[in-house]
């Protein structure tokens, strides 16, 4: 496998609307990102992934774009964005933009033209179909609604939307659409950005003929369809290969074999991907299953492609709440999850607030939530006659708003996020969990992450090392090695709330062991690690 700068990077995701508000309107903004860049730089990361800030009516928090080459008023303007890019580069970091090209807003001029009449030149820029037997063209379900089809009374046809009604899908079979998208991508790359995170990029190609499916609730038929790789190879040929950038595709419904088709180094498509075998398919922690997933992806991509490591982002509940213990062992658990993600094969992503151990949230009522997916699902289930409280409880853990509450900067009103009323409520635990407190504590989650990231910069074993799981069947412990050019690291993680013992197999040189990092401040390197007792949520990294 060749060495590349993006393989060695650590990425910090900025969900700007919840990051820092400078004008008191309750929304974070790009000026706020600029003000806090030194904080991000102090953590040590290399790349900032900026969530969509393009012009948008904001039905789905910016993922419904109405103008690809202007900036949303809530975020700022193009001049502010350009200063942000310059400030990021001045600090030696890179900026990748979140790009949504599966769909646009229904307020995009393209869709307004397309929906104006059946013979409009842009009619075929979106996917329009006649009704079948007086109903929707097929039985497909969207991510956010019971059907992917919305009827347009004016033209008496349905348009397709894989997400909200306000997010019509583009027709990638139309060559004019593709080349307009490529032109727009060059616009941003020529401004100097360092790459793209490509939203649901494997949904671009649709099932030929739009047939009914046997199980419409299992929506994997929306992705990975014939034609997708031709589109991405064309995108690479027309745009991506001409720039020294990083590309990461959000790619649900994939196995390692599928994933390699997107990120194989001989495929000329993308550099790396987010798969969702953990975040979507493992609602609560399952140690054995998680290790099996990691091993399959390592073996599937080894030497041929690059994985990404994450357990939370703007779409998924904060990792310490969903996969750790955010009560008794919040700090230890947050550090342990960080140690794991930064030492497993692949590029680690830090979602804002993760570095201080921010937790998920439980608000009192559905009215306190903003997540369009959660609200639509709540409405759909209530209409089936289910008990509202039961439905509400069932949706809490996986609500996207768990990760979207504002960054907790200090213990002042609204956690120091805004002088106004925040667009979504602040997590009530901000008095205890905030950046100010964290930076004052030398044993905090922040400084543990800082050490992890610094280690990655100086130890290629964390990036290019071979991986070997020593504990595949253990339900509490995750013990594995990374080995590269004569260096071998041993990572020992106890995910349980009780002590656990691990006995190493033969073949480890005890004389050369060195404790590199531990999440319990009072841990010292024992005389022997052949038999190790790990405390609850303890993490240790040894060189052996």
């Amino acid at each position: 496998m060749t060495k590349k700068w993006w393989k060695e990077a650590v990425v910090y995701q900025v969900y700007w609307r919840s990051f820092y508000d400078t004008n008191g309107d309750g929304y974070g903004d790009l000026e706020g990102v600029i003000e806090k860049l030194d904080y991000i730089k102090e953590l040590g990361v290399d790349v900032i992934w900026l969530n969509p800030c393009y012009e948008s009516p904001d039905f789905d928090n910016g993922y419904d774009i109405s103008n690809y080459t202007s900036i949303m008023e809530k975020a700022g303007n193009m001049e502010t964005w350009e200063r942000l890019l310059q400030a990021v580069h001045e600090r030696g970091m890179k900026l990748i933009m979140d790009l949504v090209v599966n769909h646009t807003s229904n307020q995009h001029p393209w869709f307004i033209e397309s929906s104006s009449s059946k013979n409009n030149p842009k009619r075929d820029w979106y996917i329009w179909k006649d009704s079948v037997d007086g109903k929707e063209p097929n039985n497909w379900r969207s991510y956010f609604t019971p059907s992917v089809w919305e009827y347009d009374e004016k033209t008496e046809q349905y348009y397709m939307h894989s997400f909200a009604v306000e997010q019509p899908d583009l027709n990638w079979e139309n060559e004019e659409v593709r080349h307009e998208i490529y032109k727009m991508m060059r616009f941003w790359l020529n401004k100097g950005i360092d790459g793209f995170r490509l939203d649901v990029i494997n949904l671009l190609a649709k099932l030929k003929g739009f047939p009914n499916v046997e199980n419409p609730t299992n929506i994997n038929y929306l992705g990975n369809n014939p034609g997708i790789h031709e589109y991405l190879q064309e995108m690479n040929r027309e745009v991506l290969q001409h720039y020294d950038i990083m590309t990461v595709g959000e790619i649900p419904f994939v196995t390692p074999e599928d994933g390699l088709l997107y990120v194989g180094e001989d495929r000329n498509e993308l550099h790396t991907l987010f798969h969702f075998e953990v975040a979507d398919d493992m609602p609560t922690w399952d140690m054995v299953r998680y290790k099996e997933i990691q091993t399959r992806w390592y073996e599937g991509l080894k030497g041929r492609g690059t994985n990404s490591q994450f357990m939370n982002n703007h779409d998924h509940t904060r990792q310490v709440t969903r996969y750790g213990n955010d009560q008794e062992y919040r700090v230890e658990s947050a550090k342990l999850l960080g140690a794991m993600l930064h030492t497993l094969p692949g590029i680690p992503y830090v979602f804002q607030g993760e570095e201080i151990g921010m937790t998920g949230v439980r608000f009192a009522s559905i009215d306190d939530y903003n997540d369009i997916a959660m609200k639509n699902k709540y409405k759909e289930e209530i209409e089936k006659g289910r008990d509202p409280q039961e439905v509400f409880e069932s949706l809490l853990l996986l609500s996207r708003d768990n990760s979207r509450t504002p960054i907790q900067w200090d213990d002042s009103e609204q956690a120091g996020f805004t002088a106004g009323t925040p667009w979504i409520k602040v997590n009530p635990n901000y008095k205890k969990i905030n950046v100010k407190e964290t930076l004052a504590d030398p044993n905090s989650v922040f400084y543990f992450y800082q050490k992890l990231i610094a280690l990655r910069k100086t130890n290629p074993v964390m990036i290019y090392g071979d991986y070997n799981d020593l504990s595949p069947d253990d339900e509490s412990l995750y013990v594995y090695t990374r080995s590269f050019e004569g260096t071998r690291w041993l990572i020992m993680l106890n995910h349980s709330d009780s002590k656990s013992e691990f006995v190493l197999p033969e073949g480890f040189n005890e004389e050369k062991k060195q404790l590199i990092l531990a999440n319990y401040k009072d841990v010292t390197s024992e005389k022997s690690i052949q038999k190790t007792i790990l405390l609850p949520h303890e993490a240790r990294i040894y060189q052996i």
Side-chain angles (χ1 to χ4, degrees):
M1 182 182 285
T2 55
K3 293 185 178 182
K4 296 287 186 180
W5 68 261
W6 46 265
K7 294 180 184 179
E8 301 171 7
V10 175
V11 181
Y12 187 88
Q13 181 186 354
V14 172
Y15 194 69
W16 55 267
R17 70 186 59 231
S18 295
F19 196 65
Y20 185 59
D21 172 25
T22 60
N23 62 8
D25 68 353
Y27 288 87
D29 44 52
L30 299 184
E31 199 68 62
V33 182
I34 294 172
E35 282 199 26
K36 298 294 187 180
L37 277 180
D38 287 336
Y39 166 77
I40 299 174
K41 176 64 177 176
E42 185 180 356
L43 190 61
V45 301
D46 310 279
V47 175
I48 292 173
W49 154 23
L50 186 67
N51 281 101
C53 56
Y54 316 96
E55 189 175 319
S56 167
D58 227 17
F59 281 103
D60 187 26
N61 291 17
Y63 284 85
D64 50 321
I65 299 169
S66 56
N67 187 332
Y68 281 106
T69 55
S70 68
I71 299 298
M72 187 191 306
E73 187 176 351
K74 287 174 183 172
N77 55 40
M78 187 62 78
E79 184 273 334
T80 310
W81 180 89
E82 289 171 345
R83 283 193 291 108
L84 170 62
L85 179 65
Q86 180 181 352
V88 169
H89 286 165
E90 285 173 352
R91 288 163 175 78
M93 297 185 290
K94 297 180 184 292
L95 181 72
I96 64 174
M97 295 282 280
D98 207 328
L99 188 61
V100 189
V101 294
N102 175 70
H103 49 270
T104 69
S105 165
N106 62 350
Q107 296 181 30
H108 196 293
W110 298 346
F111 187 75
I112 292 172
E113 284 191 54
S114 181
S115 61
S116 65
S117 71
K118 287 183 178 179
N119 57 11
N120 185 277
K122 286 190 170 59
R123 183 66 171 182
D124 193 46
W125 283 40
Y126 294 83
I127 299 168
W128 294 92
K129 298 291 179 185
D130 291 323
S131 62
V132 175
D133 297 327
K135 297 188 297 185
E136 292 85 355
N138 63 26
N139 65 350
W140 296 1
R141 181 187 172 87
S142 91
Y143 275 84
F144 294 172
T145 61
S147 174
V148 299
W149 302 104
E150 181 69 9
Y151 188 66
D152 175 55
E153 292 186 0
K154 182 177 181 180
T155 59
E156 297 181 326
Q157 279 190 317
Y158 288 86
Y159 67 83
M160 182 179 174
H161 57 93
S162 295
F163 294 87
V165 168
E166 296 85 2
Q167 296 168 291
D169 282 27
L170 286 163
N171 178 17
W172 270 74
E173 289 189 355
N174 186 310
E175 187 176 359
E176 289 182 341
V177 169
R178 300 200 304 273
H179 286 283
E180 194 66 25
I181 292 293
Y182 302 154
K183 177 183 174 183
M184 174 270 295
M185 295 174 77
R186 286 190 287 268
F187 169 87
W188 289 106
L189 289 166
N190 291 338
K191 279 185 171 290
I193 68 167
D194 303 289
F196 293 109
R197 180 265 190 187
L198 294 155
D199 186 66
V200 290
I201 197 65
N202 62 326
L203 269 58
L204 304 185
K206 314 305 183 188
L207 271 179
K208 301 298 181 187
F210 296 83
N212 281 327
V213 293
E214 186 175 339
N215 180 12
T217 59
N218 183 5
I219 59 173
N220 58 9
Y221 50 84
L222 293 179
N224 308 305
N225 292 311
I228 184 60
H229 297 293
E230 287 76 9
Y231 293 154
L232 292 180
Q233 286 166 12
E234 180 183 74
M235 180 187 290
N236 187 290
R237 190 167 58 248
E238 293 285 328
V239 183
L240 304 178
Q241 70 172 358
H242 302 289
Y243 301 85
D244 180 21
I245 57 173
M246 172 183 181
T247 56
V248 52
E250 182 190 35
I251 304 180
F253 322 129
V254 285
T255 63
E257 293 73 26
D258 300 324
L260 191 62
L261 297 176
Y262 290 94
V263 303
E265 295 189 2
D266 61 344
R267 295 282 298 171
N268 298 316
E269 294 188 21
L270 305 175
H271 291 142
T272 182
L273 82 163
F274 297 128
H275 71 81
F276 294 94
E277 284 203 52
V278 177
D280 280 355
D281 300 338
M282 199 176 81
T284 55
W285 185 250
D286 183 334
M287 181 83 265
V288 174
R289 183 177 179 186
Y290 183 79
K291 290 185 281 191
E292 185 269 332
I293 292 169
Q294 289 292 337
T295 297
R296 271 195 297 106
W297 277 90
Y298 169 70
E299 292 175 349
L301 299 187
K302 182 181 179 181
R304 297 182 290 172
T306 301
N307 197 7
S308 293
Q309 294 291 350
F310 74 100
M311 296 182 77
N312 55 191
N313 58 29
H314 65 289
D315 281 335
H316 297 95
T317 299
R318 289 193 173 276
Q319 61 186 28
V320 73
T321 294
R322 187 174 176 189
Y323 296 128
N325 180 331
D326 67 359
Q327 299 298 314
E328 185 179 0
Y329 295 105
R330 181 187 64 85
V331 171
E332 294 84 0
S333 189
K335 291 179 181 180
L336 177 141
L337 293 169
M340 181 175 72
L341 292 180
H342 287 254
T343 55
L344 283 169
I347 300 168
Y349 293 74
V350 181
F351 177 59
Q352 63 180 45
E354 174 188 329
E355 75 282 0
I356 66 167
M358 278 182 63
T359 68
V361 71
R362 180 196 170 99
F363 294 134
S365 162
I366 189 69
D367 296 329
D368 294 323
Y369 287 82
N370 181 275
D371 178 8
I372 188 174
M374 180 188 188
K375 284 180 170 289
N376 283 0
K377 187 67 175 176
Y378 179 83
K379 180 175 181 288
E380 181 184 343
E381 293 302 309
I382 295 302
E383 288 174 350
K384 293 178 182 178
R386 289 184 61 190
D387 175 66
Q389 188 61 30
E390 177 191 338
V391 174
F392 178 62
E393 294 286 343
S394 72
L395 297 174
L396 285 177
L397 178 61
L398 300 185
S399 169
R400 298 187 298 174
D401 286 344
N402 275 296
S403 59
R404 296 178 177 186
T405 56
I407 291 290
Q408 296 157 207
W409 291 105
D410 56 41
D411 61 359
S412 65
E413 190 174 1
Q414 308 298 0
F417 164 71
T418 180
T421 302
W423 71 276
I424 185 173
K425 288 183 177 181
V426 172
N427 193 318
N429 64 16
Y430 73 90
K431 293 281 188 181
K432 177 182 177 183
I433 304 171
N434 60 67
V435 171
K436 183 180 179 181
E437 288 284 327
T438 298
L439 294 181
D441 177 5
N443 295 307
S444 70
V445 179
F446 180 93
Y447 293 118
F448 188 82
Y449 266 67
Q450 189 183 61
K451 290 172 185 174
L452 277 170
I453 294 167
L455 285 171
R456 185 176 174 86
K457 292 183 186 300
T458 54
N459 293 276
V461 68
M462 293 175 73
I463 303 158
Y464 300 107
D466 291 338
Y467 162 83
N468 183 30
D469 180 8
L470 304 178
S471 61
D473 300 318
D474 196 302
E475 296 181 356
S476 299
L477 294 171
Y478 195 6
V479 182
Y480 53 93
T481 59
R482 300 293 307 277
S483 306
F484 182 71
E485 295 183 346
T487 297
R488 182 163 65 163
W489 280 21
L490 172 69
I491 296 91
M492 309 183 79
L493 311 167
N494 178 15
H495 282 257
S496 75
D497 292 343
S498 57
K499 293 181 180 180
S500 296
E501 181 181 271
F502 188 78
V503 179
L504 286 172
E506 297 296 325
F508 287 85
N509 190 337
E510 292 272 3
E511 294 178 1
K512 291 187 176 181
K513 74 177 186 303
Q514 177 186 355
L515 183 65
I516 303 294
L517 189 62
N519 69 343
Y520 274 74
K521 62 181 179 180
D522 53 352
V523 169
T524 56
S525 186
E526 301 95 335
K527 292 180 180 179
S528 173
I529 56 172
Q530 194 65 40
K531 181 185 290 186
T532 303
I533 296 176
L534 292 166
L535 298 173
H537 299 276
E538 184 175 2
R540 300 187 197 179
I541 302 172
Y542 289 99
Q543 182 166 308
I544 53 175

